[in-house]
Amino acid sequence: MGWDANDVALLKQLWADGHSAGQIAIRLGLSRNAVSAKLKRMGQRRGHKPPTANPRIVSVPKRKVAPSAACARPSDKVVSRRKPAATKSAPMEPKEFTKRQLYAMLVDAVKNTG
DNA sequence: CCCTGATTCGC
DNA sequence: GCGAATCAGG
């Protein structure tokens, strides 16, 4: 999984555009974890939780703790959450086309790459 | 229950 | 550096 220029561009664009890590992740075909991790590596983040909220668990480097069976969390890698509603031939631009411009260069980058 | 993002760990 | 696992909150 190599993060290409368009990948990063799309990621940054969508992220800055206000999209969520999950949406971008699904759009790129990754998990939101990868997106969030990548964003963190970039230095980009949308402060949702302060880094000094809590010191996590101590005295145990193993993140795979063994909680109660009732609190077990199976891996759910389902990638089919929000489905984009199919729009008609009618244009939908209630706002300016600033988004369009950004998206245009994005799709252009994708086209060039693809 | 679903979702969100942030951080840590193994490769 | 990447991705997954995990935690923490709304």
Side-chain angles (χ1 to χ4, degrees):
Chain A
M1 184 59 77
W3 278 86
D4 213 348
N6 71 77
D7 288 312
V8 182
L10 182 65
L11 163 66
K12 287 171 72 176
Q13 174 46 60
L14 293 172
W15 184 252
D17 200 46
H19 286 261
S20 14
Q23 296 296 286
I24 305 166
I26 296 166
R27 209 242 173 261
L28 266 67
L30 311 155
S31 319
R32 58 188 195 81
N33 307 26
V35 175
S36 209
K38 177 63 184 174
L39 281 157
K40 193 200 157 40
R41 274 165 225 130
M42 296 179 133
Q44 301 289 289
R45 73 183 79 130
R46 235 187 312 182
H48 179 252
K49 214 182 29 148
T52 51
N54 58 328
R56 187 171 286 267
I57 302 176
V58 292
S59 310
V60 54
K62 299 285 288 183
R63 69 198 196 293
K64 295 182 82 70
V65 296
S68 306
C71 294
R73 297 175 61 128
S75 311
D76 49 292
K77 299 175 188 174
V78 54
V79 285
S80 285
R81 237 41 103 172
R82 304 191 180 199
K83 294 178 187 292
T87 50
K88 294 179 179 175
S89 305
M92 50 173 214
E93 259 79 18
K95 293 185 178 181
E96 281 87 83
F97 45 85
T98 44
K99 300 287 188 68
R100 272 186 62 88
Q101 288 182 69
L102 293 161
Y103 252 79
M105 73 181 199
L106 275 168
V107 296
D108 185 70
V110 175
K111 288 197 297 182
N112 271 282
T113 313

